[in-house]
Amino acid sequence: MIYESRDVAATAVARPRLLPWSNLDGNPCYLVTDDTGTGRLSRLADEIEAVQLGMADDLLGHAVDLLGDTRATAPQLRHLAVCLAEALHDVHRIARSRGARLHVSDGDEEDADAVPEGGRGD
């Protein structure tokens, strides 16, 4: 027996959410859910994103301190660079995920691509 959803519009609107973690192979993970974002996995993803953003903020403060220290060694700076790259990767993933979930009305898409008179200064 085959059941079909009567609410086709609701399923067409749902877009996959890029989650703040990868699978074991390093590939991105996605969650398909309703637009409310109140499900258990959505809330877990929100919590993990908040932790990642907080850690990136803490790391940025540490980076400022270490870069201001003239006694910082090359291994310390390399380790800092690795940590900053990881944090930047996390923050970039969060930005992509949140940006993809922003609602853009049909009329706003054209306005977003429009260049104000006077151009971009090219």
Side-chain angles (χ1 to χ4, degrees), residues 1-70:
M1 194 179 264
I2 298 175
Y3 295 97
E4 293 183 21
S5 172
R6 296 184 187 265
D7 192 5
V8 176
T11 57
V13 173
R15 286 184 263 172
R17 173 185 177 168
L18 177 61
L19 295 172
W21 56 79
S22 301
N23 67 13
L24 295 176
D25 295 326
N27 296 319
C29 294
Y30 294 90
L31 174 65
V32 178
T33 185
D34 59 13
D35 285 337
T36 63
T38 58
R40 183 174 171 197
L41 279 177
S42 291
R43 289 191 316 271
L44 177 63
D46 291 341
E47 291 171 13
I48 290 174
E49 286 178 354
V51 168
Q52 289 174 327
L53 291 172
M55 290 172 60
D57 188 49
D58 292 344
L59 180 61
L60 186 57
H62 177 67
V64 169
D65 292 341
L66 187 61
L67 292 172
D69 184 357
T70 58

Side-chain angles (χ1 to χ4, degrees), residues 48-117:
I48 290 174
E49 286 178 354
V51 168
Q52 289 174 327
L53 291 172
M55 290 172 60
D57 188 49
D58 292 344
L59 180 61
L60 186 57
H62 177 67
V64 169
D65 292 341
L66 187 61
L67 292 172
D69 184 357
T70 58
R71 295 172 292 147
T73 65
Q76 289 174 318
L77 294 173
R78 273 195 296 277
H79 179 72
L80 175 65
V82 168
C83 293
L84 286 170
E86 290 172 358
L88 182 58
H89 174 77
D90 291 342
V91 170
H92 183 252
R93 181 189 301 243
I94 292 167
R96 285 192 349 248
S97 177
R98 291 182 180 184
R101 288 181 277 144
L102 291 176
H103 175 71
V104 178
S105 66
D106 293 335
D108 290 344
E109 289 180 23
E110 293 176 16
D111 294 339
D113 293 332
V115 177
E117 193 170 316

